[in-house]
Amino acid sequence: MKELKDFSCPFGSHSTIPRELLSDESLDFTRVFTERDEIAKLAIKLQEMHQSGFATLPSCCTLEIEAYGGTIEIPADVVGPKLSSFTYTKEEDIERIIHATDFTARQKENFAAIRLLHEQGKKVCFNITGPLTVLNGLMELGLVFRIMRKQNKKLEIFFQNHIISLMKI
């Protein structure tokens, strides 16, 4: 039997908030994932800390999962949004996911933060999540595979709609 090893993402240090910033009193971590000014402020601090050419937004897959109706919470005791539960539990739920196309308030604030950073002359980098990752945040993976097998045309529609929604950014 092969030994399983932890995968270390090469971009991990840029996608998480370093401990040093957690004690930075100029950042309000209750608002850093929901309000454009705080999002932009953290992106600049991350850029300075990593000495990067890009201001990286502190967003993750929860931003897109939420747009498709996912249940996301932003707890005060941990840094970052997290998935609280699977929103969809039946194969028929793919119909509701296919037609979810509106941007959420949190997405709009992230887009506004991008504009703020761009106006300051910053090059901006942000996370875009693929459709399978989004689906896995909305429902159990076994259900995703069942839908792939039984309703692959509907899944193709979801993939196409997901790509179109990303292009609206």
Side-chain angles (χ1 to χ4, degrees):
M1 185 169 192
K2 289 185 178 180
E3 180 183 338
L4 294 177
K5 295 183 179 178
D6 288 335
F7 174 75
S8 179
C9 178
F11 302 105
S13 64
H14 291 275
S15 62
T16 58
I17 298 172
R19 292 192 185 277
E20 304 90 88
L21 284 182
L22 298 179
S23 60
D24 188 327
E25 293 181 13
S26 69
L27 293 169
D28 182 350
F29 282 99
T30 60
R31 299 177 11 228
V32 81
F33 295 99
T34 57
E35 295 179 21
R36 69 188 75 182
D37 294 329
E38 292 296 317
I39 294 167
K41 193 186 315 181
L42 178 58
I44 290 169
K45 290 206 177 267
L46 288 168
Q47 179 182 18
E48 291 167 354
M49 179 172 264
H50 294 301
Q51 298 176 352
S52 172
F54 296 92
T56 305
L57 264 63
S59 62
C60 64
C61 62
T62 60
L63 199 59
E64 291 167 83
I65 291 169
E66 184 178 28
Y68 286 102
T71 309
I72 305 301
E73 57 183 71
I74 304 175
D77 60 337
V78 294
V79 177
K82 66 178 193 164
L83 182 67
S84 62
S85 65
F86 290 118
T87 304
Y88 303 105
T89 57
K90 301 181 298 260
E91 288 179 37
E92 305 82 60
D93 289 337
I94 192 67
E95 289 292 336
R96 292 177 29 216
I97 297 170
I98 286 173
H99 301 293
T101 56
D102 293 335
F103 290 125
T104 63
R106 202 158 64 95
Q107 281 180 308
K108 290 175 185 175
E109 287 297 303
N110 271 268
F111 299 150
I114 291 170
R115 275 192 293 290
L116 283 173
L117 292 164
H118 180 71
E119 289 166 1
Q120 294 175 26
K122 302 287 184 187
K123 293 178 183 170
V124 183
C125 180
F126 60 96
N127 185 43
I128 295 178
T129 305
L132 286 175
T133 303
V134 170
L135 284 173
N136 189 39
L138 296 169
M139 60 181 60
E140 290 184 14
L141 196 53
L143 183 56
V144 173
F145 289 134
R146 254 194 323 275
I147 292 169
M148 278 183 182
R149 193 177 71 245
K150 294 179 178 180
Q151 301 182 51
N152 62 356
K153 293 292 182 201
K154 290 183 180 176
L155 221 46
E156 283 180 34
I157 294 168
F158 169 75
F159 291 166
Q160 290 169 352
N161 287 348
H162 183 70
I163 290 167
I164 291 167
S165 74
L166 292 175
M167 294 175 78
K168 290 179 186 177
I169 298 171

